Amino acid sequence: MTQTVDPPGATSGLTDAELAAVRGDFPLLGRTLRDGRPLVYLDSGATSQKPDVVLDAERDFYTQRNAAVHRGAHQLAEEATDAFEGAREQVARFVGVASDEIVWTSNATAAINLVAYAMSNATAGRGGAAARRFVLGPGDEIVVTEAEHHANLVPWQELAARTGATLRWLGLHDDGRIRTDDLATVVGDRTRVLAFGHASNVTGAIAPVAELVARAREVGALTVLDACQSVPHLRVDLTALGVDFAAFSGHKMLGPTGVGALYGRRELLEALPPVMTGGSMVEVVTMESTTFAPPPQKFEAGTQMVAQAVGMGVAASYLEELGMDAVAAHEHVLAQALLDAVASVPHVRVLGPTEAVDRLATVAFVVDGVHAHDVGQVLDDAGVAVRVGHHCAQPLHRRFGITATARASASVYTTVDEIEVFREALSGVRAFFGLTADGGDGR
Amino acid sequence: MSATAMEQLYQQVILDHAKDPYGHGLVPPHEHGERVGESHQVNTTCGDELTLRVEVAQDATGQDVLRSVSWEGQGCSISRASVSVLSELVTDIPVADAERLGETFRELMRSRGVPLDEAAQDALGDATAFTGVGKFPARIKCALLGWAALRDAIVKAGVHEGVAQHDTEHEEDA
Ligand SMILES: Cc1ncc(COP(=O)(O)O)c(C=O)c1O
């Protein structure tokens, strides 16, 4: 089953008191900007802020448990290993998988590249017969969508170039949603990999995972889910979604930078050849050859980002304690508020679904006659932090004939009042550049 | 940021140039065999693209002069205004002078909003309006895009004289 969003009203989200308590957990949210302006952080899609428990967990690891993991027989090493593996369990439980199906990576980008390079290695003959299912060559096809973040596009372009496979993609509807009307022709017998984002970091649209996974299974293609934007905001059960691989980053889900995760179904991780090689990922090494440790260690060569992993585990538990249904319900309210805000300002157009259905509280928009950079500057002057540019999704922007948008993206700690500050600042943008609220675009 | 910092960034000169830019629309090369150079630049932050074309001819004294400077592309008000001001400043001046101006402008962008000395300000003319940009590191690249294109286009036109070509790419990435 692939239910990803709670129907609106299924749970009540967060009460004002709960939300105030959440905000109190994030020290950075209390800081002020130039001229003492309060910060309105609407750039959580790029990276989230971190609660004290995450920061404390990293510090606590260094002050109490720091030692090399999986090595050494001393007490500290045991405690460090427990913390590291305990974090893996926390993250695994959070996304509904077994802990040996979670590989630590430095971020989602590294996780996706791991899969792509492992397939290259399989194509080069590494991994033997078991890895033959990952071999690609001319005639094989890799399918992505036009909505992808570059992190889930460029690695596949490169894999296609290295192996002779062909890259194809599913297009987008005018509201930014993935077109599935030609799914049966784009994803076919030649398709070996179907890689797609669970939720777009630009349009906020949630992908029709069930439909895409069903088609991939029909034709025997592997599915790779970029879950970067979904895991922080929705209840995500990767086992239930039925994907083969998934990637997400710690820093977008209230955790530290420098750590992310790759999920792979156990039998696939077992068959997949390693990419990085060296210490910590081996069984027996002779001068001639090496046998590898079982997954996930097989993919974790060298000293790992232990403190960050511990922080990511705590971030997952923090979200779990809030309850992802409550988080999603709260963010549903924020999505509606953001959409109402941009709809209330003349000459602002949304790039993505304009209704708060199957979408995140991530809203990209253009202001007619004003470049996104200039929009961002005026918002910044009001203390409102948004992202401007192509958000690492140039093909998506090109699909809509524009190069850059401004994007407001919320997280669990965002309030409706903050969105009102955003709305007010946005309503002054055109006037700042000498354009009238109701006139033409002035250019 | 104070309203004054915003006003320093978006000086009226900048808003005016952004709205009605100089040199917009690529000028087809003349027929007299002048050297033409064209540069294509991308602002990696936002994906904005700029194509700038220069035409170099020798004047009566044998000096290389920028006979025309024109461009095409879309960008924010800072980048549009910057390439507009640049086009106005360097059209019909010796290549060597244009390159020296570029160096001065890059120096201005490194000055963190502090005005340069009077001689530099005189040389930069309207381009001194960009002084406030130096306070906004995220926007320096916007202001430099046109100047980077100019320098590259001059090289592409096959002009080798002028100030030493030292690599300032890293500063531009700041
Ligand atoms: C949808 C999506 N995929 C992938 C990434 C890449 O994440 P990271 O930079 O943490 O590797 C991002 C982050 O911007 C994203 O939003």
Side-chain angles (χ1 to χ4, degrees):
Chain A
M1 197 15 267
T2 57
Q3 184 63 31
T4 51
V5 198
D6 303 288
T11 63
S12 53
L14 302 173
T15 64
D16 288 353
E18 284 167 339
L19 183 53
V22 166
R23 289 183 67 81
D25 291 337
F26 291 78
L28 188 139
L29 296 180
R31 71 158 281 183
T32 53
L33 304 170
R34 303 178 193 97
D35 293 344
R37 279 185 195 285
L39 166 69
V40 174
Y41 187 72
L42 292 178
D43 198 14
S44 293
T47 198
S48 67
Q49 299 304 340
K50 327 298 178 197
D52 274 324
V53 284
V54 167
L55 307 176
D56 291 346
E58 280 198 75
R59 184 175 172 80
D60 176 71
F61 177 81
Y62 283 125
T63 54
Q64 299 299 321
R65 266 167 276 279
N66 183 45
V69 301
H70 294 308
R71 297 169 201 176
H74 53 78
Q75 183 183 334
L76 272 188
E78 282 168 12
E79 291 186 16
T81 303
D82 278 353
F84 185 59
E85 292 304 326
R88 197 193 304 273
E89 272 168 37
Q90 286 171 305
V91 169
R93 188 173 57 233
F94 185 57
V95 293
V97 304
S99 64
D100 60 357
E101 294 178 314
I102 290 290
V103 177
W104 296 118
T105 63
S106 52
N107 50 35
T109 304
I112 295 166
N113 274 280
L114 193 164
V115 178
Y117 275 100
M119 292 185 76
S120 271
N121 286 348
T123 303
R126 302 302 298 155
R132 217 166 278 153
R133 63 200 297 180
F134 303 115
V135 173
L136 289 181
D140 290 331
E141 293 177 354
I142 301 167
V143 177
V144 296
T145 86
E146 213 175 358
E148 296 316 304
H149 187 284
H150 297 161
N152 198 33
L153 168 60
V154 185
W156 304 117
Q157 285 177 345
E158 289 293 305
L159 177 63
R162 288 194 300 273
T163 59
T166 302
L167 185 79
R168 301 185 65 181
W169 55 90
L170 294 163
L172 302 179
H173 289 294
D174 288 345
D175 67 354
R177 293 200 190 274
I178 297 166
R179 278 181 51 183
T180 53
D181 47 308
D182 54 356
L183 181 60
T185 48
V186 178
V187 177
D189 290 340
R190 292 164 173 257
T191 308
R192 306 295 312 286
V193 178
L194 173 59
F196 62 97
H198 194 174
S200 164
N201 65 312
V202 180
T203 65
I206 293 167
V209 183
E211 193 181 354
L212 296 178
V213 168
R215 179 60 186 159
R217 282 189 171 167
E218 233 168 68
V219 299
L222 293 165
T223 46
V224 181
L225 186 74
D226 174 357
C228 251
Q229 294 291 341
S230 56
V231 164
H233 306 292
L234 310 169
R235 176 176 296 287
V236 175
D237 183 332
L238 293 172
T239 306
L241 290 175
V243 294
D244 294 311
F245 294 100
F248 51 102
S249 285
H251 72 95
K252 291 186 197 282
M253 51 172 280
L254 318 183
T257 53
V259 64
L262 170 70
Y263 157 73
R265 282 199 294 118
R266 186 184 287 109
E267 54 147 344
L268 294 175
L269 290 184
E270 275 164 7
L272 198 67
V275 174
M276 298 282 273
T277 55
S280 304
M281 51 79 69
V282 298
E283 273 175 359
V284 179
V285 181
T286 67
M287 286 313 292
E288 289 78 25
S289 66
T290 295
T291 56
F292 303 122
Q297 276 73 34
K298 179 170 71 172
F299 300 102
E300 295 175 357
T303 302
Q304 296 294 295
M305 59 309 265
V306 183
Q308 291 96 318
V310 169
M312 184 169 171
V314 170
S317 295
Y318 178 87
L319 283 167
E320 209 162 51
E321 269 166 44
L322 287 176
M324 286 311 287
D325 292 337
V327 169
H330 172 59
E331 294 190 21
H332 174 76
V333 172
L334 299 174
Q336 188 65 60
L338 277 172
L339 289 168
D340 289 348
V342 294
S344 75
V345 181
H347 299 287
V348 175
R349 287 179 291 136
V350 171
L351 197 80
T354 50
E355 285 180 0
V357 177
D358 284 337
R359 68 152 15 261
L360 303 176
T362 293
V363 176
F365 57 92
V366 293
V367 178
D368 287 337
V370 184
H371 188 278
H373 255 180
D374 297 319
V375 174
Q377 200 77 57
V378 175
L379 295 180
D380 177 61
D381 191 42
V384 179
V386 299
R387 179 148 176 204
V388 300
H390 50 61
H391 321 300
C392 299
Q394 288 184 19
L396 184 153
H397 280 77
R398 200 167 293 118
R399 156 69 176 79
F400 293 98
I402 46 185
T403 45
T405 52
R407 179 191 71 186
S409 55
S411 189
V412 58
Y413 42 69
T414 306
T415 68
V416 171
D417 289 348
E418 288 183 300
I419 293 172
E420 177 54 24
V421 176
F422 159 71
R423 192 199 63 74
E424 231 178 281
L426 182 64
S427 69
V429 166
R430 278 177 51 95
F432 184 88
F433 292 101
L435 305 171
T436 54
D438 51 356
D441 72 4
R443 285 252 161 93
Chain B
M1 160 174 48
S2 63
T4 55
M6 272 298 267
E7 281 159 17
Q8 278 172 24
L9 176 64
Y10 290 112
Q11 301 252 331
Q12 196 56 45
V13 178
I14 291 180
L15 295 178
D16 290 346
H17 272 277
K19 216 165 195 177
D20 188 13
Y22 188 94
H24 191 211
L26 288 176
V27 172
H30 289 77
E31 276 113 48
H32 312 294
E34 283 91 349
R35 286 156 294 167
V36 174
E38 198 172 287
S39 173
H40 182 74
Q41 300 283 325
V42 178
N43 186 340
T44 49
T45 335
C46 50
D48 283 345
E49 297 184 36
L50 170 70
T51 302
L52 183 137
R53 181 182 291 165
V54 299
E55 239 185 311
V56 179
Q58 284 193 342
D59 68 6
T61 67
Q63 195 170 214
D64 282 328
V65 171
L66 285 166
R67 181 162 161 177
S68 77
V69 178
S70 60
W71 56 275
E72 207 169 73
Q74 79 292 61
C76 62
S77 54
I78 302 296
S79 76
R80 284 167 69 86
S82 184
V83 69
S84 167
V85 167
L86 163 168
S87 302
E88 196 167 20
L89 276 176
V90 305
T91 297
D92 284 331
I93 72 170
V95 169
D97 291 354
E99 290 186 321
R100 218 167 290 124
L101 261 184
E103 288 305 312
T104 309
F105 190 80
R106 277 181 266 275
E107 195 188 320
L108 181 68
M109 289 300 99
R110 287 191 294 265
S111 77
R112 299 190 168 273
V114 179
L116 300 182
D117 62 34
E118 229 163 277
Q121 291 194 30
D122 284 349
L124 286 174
D126 270 3
T128 50
F130 293 86
T131 305
V133 177
K135 281 190 190 161
F136 297 88
R139 304 307 294 275
I140 290 175
K141 205 161 184 174
C142 310
L144 284 175
L145 198 66
W147 291 94
L150 176 67
R151 188 170 55 182
D152 185 42
I154 288 173
V155 173
K156 297 251 173 71
V159 180
H160 298 298
E161 60 167 312
V163 297
Q165 284 278 282
H166 72 263
D167 179 25
T168 50
E169 291 308 320
H170 300 297
E171 287 141 9
E172 282 168 20
D173 278 343

